[in-house]
Amino acid sequence: MVEDDDLIREVIEVILQQAGFVVHPAATGAQGVALVKAHRPVVTTVDVSLPDIDGFEVVRRLRTFSDTVVVMLTARVDEVDTLMGLESGADEYVTKPFRARELRARIDALLRRTGHLAPVPVVEEHAPGVDGGGLEIDTARGTVRLGSEPVHLTRTEFALLAALHDARGRPVPKGDLAALLRPEDHGYGGVTEADRRTVEVHVANVRRKLGDSPTHPRFIHTVRGLGYRFERA
């Protein structure tokens, strides 16, 4: 848990301990990065405003070595800040003030989403002449390889890619993907435009990591007015 406000840090620590987590608190971004390296946590919460480096930079550094589920916590409510958090590699973005039940529900939903994937390795072949490699999605290990190289996706990005692949060529609406990403039970109804925008950011990250062009896609095709479709190259 990376949070510089002493009171908020204590509150979040209690919330997470009551949910059954062992909590390692940090008051600065550098401390948080060091703690993640030392303890390899399943979940990391990161405040945006920190005294040394900001939360966006913390997440970027974490993504160079860790696939921990990242929940950004911030009082900033502008959409641009949300998008910056997701683009830096965060899985979820929660604005303050939040209720204890909401934070726990969002974390629970993230963990359910990343732990309920069918353990069936799947290999998709590239078209000859593209790069001679293949895209391998191993749902048992939660890993992706492109040719001989690993593709480092966040858990949220992997969940989206797996959902698109499992649709077997059928278009998947953005609303369905958004419902996959958000908690079912923390009290807001319906999929919002912001939820769909969040999906777009995550899909853009997946495409970038796969070297997949939105205009000439090999894997993830945009279905205008609906969502996305996965096809082999």
Side-chain angles (χ1 to χ4, degrees):
M1 175 184 57
V2 189
E3 169 62 60
D4 67 324
D5 186 288
D6 293 341
L7 178 58
I8 296 176
R9 190 166 61 248
E10 291 175 7
V11 169
I12 297 173
E13 185 169 8
V14 170
I15 292 172
L16 296 178
Q17 287 175 338
Q18 289 176 344
F21 290 98
V22 174
V23 182
H24 302 280
T28 69
Q31 290 173 356
V33 172
L35 283 176
V36 172
K37 285 184 177 179
H39 297 286
R40 302 177 63 186
V42 64
V43 178
T44 302
T45 66
V46 181
D47 185 30
V48 171
S49 299
L50 296 167
D52 50 351
I53 55 177
D54 65 30
F56 305 125
E57 178 61 23
V58 171
V59 178
R60 281 190 285 268
R61 294 187 186 184
L62 294 184
R63 287 305 178 222
T64 65
F65 65 87
S66 175
D67 67 349
T68 181
V69 171
V70 175
V71 180
M72 299 201 78
L73 305 176
T74 179
R76 301 184 186 181
V77 296
D78 291 342
E79 182 182 9
V80 64
D81 292 313
T82 302
L83 298 181
M84 284 180 62
L86 298 175
E87 288 170 349
S88 67
D91 296 284
E92 182 64 281
Y93 195 96
V94 179
T95 56
K96 303 174 184 176
F98 53 82
R99 294 172 298 170
R101 180 172 175 269
E102 175 186 357
L103 179 59
R104 290 177 57 172
R106 286 177 181 254
I107 291 175
D108 286 347
L110 285 168
L111 296 181
R112 285 197 301 273
R113 182 172 79 230
T114 55
H116 284 209
L117 298 174
V120 180
V122 181
V123 177
E124 294 293 339
E125 297 297 334
H126 276 325
V130 175
D131 63 9
L135 178 64
E136 178 182 321
I137 305 170
D138 188 336
T139 54
R141 296 180 177 86
T143 60
V144 176
R145 298 185 71 86
L146 185 59
S148 61
E149 297 297 322
V151 180
H152 299 290
L153 301 181
T154 69
R155 297 178 189 228
T156 296
E157 291 163 359
F158 182 86
L160 282 176
L161 179 60
L164 289 170
H165 176 271
D166 290 348
R168 300 184 181 278
R170 290 180 288 104
V172 182
K174 290 180 186 177
D176 289 358
L177 294 172
L180 172 70
L181 300 188
R182 64 172 174 80
E184 302 90 347
D185 55 355
H186 78 76
Y188 68 82
V191 174
T192 67
E193 192 58 36
D195 294 328
R196 293 184 177 88
R197 178 62 178 137
T198 295
V199 168
E200 292 172 1
V201 173
H202 285 307
V203 169
N205 287 341
V206 175
R207 280 173 161 163
R208 173 174 51 80
K209 293 178 180 181
L210 294 178
D212 205 13
S213 166
T215 54
H216 298 91
R218 290 178 290 171
F219 305 114
I220 301 176
H221 296 250
T222 298
V223 181
R224 293 192 179 278
L226 181 64
Y228 303 97
R229 181 182 68 251
F230 182 94
E231 292 184 2
R232 67 176 60 199

